[in-house]
Amino acid sequence: MDSGSLASIDWGVVTLVALIAAGLVWSFVFFLRQNSKDLESLEETIESERRDDER
């Protein structure tokens, strides 16, 4: 790689893009975990109501 091209990189922009990407990944993981918890809660509620209806 040409050392001149490395000198022209704006490291502030690279850092900002990396932080934004990390934030997007973190929020996606958080969303999936929360969605999984909500699904488990919904399944428990449905099972509880099903047992109550059988009585």
Side-chain angles (χ1 to χ4, degrees):
M1 233 178 150
D2 186 18
S3 62
S5 65
L6 284 177
S8 66
I9 293 175
D10 186 357
W11 291 105
V13 172
V14 172
T15 303
L16 179 62
V17 169
L19 286 173
I20 290 171
L24 288 173
V25 169
W26 179 85
S27 63
F28 184 67
V29 169
F30 178 79
F31 170 76
L32 290 178
R33 286 184 180 171
Q34 188 64 40
N35 197 19
S36 176
K37 289 177 186 177
D38 290 344
L39 177 61
E40 289 173 5
S41 175
L42 178 62
E43 288 173 341
E44 290 173 2
T45 302
I46 290 171
E47 183 63 30
S48 175
E49 289 180 359
R50 185 176 296 139
R51 280 185 261 128
D52 289 346
D53 287 344
E54 289 176 354
R55 292 182 186 172

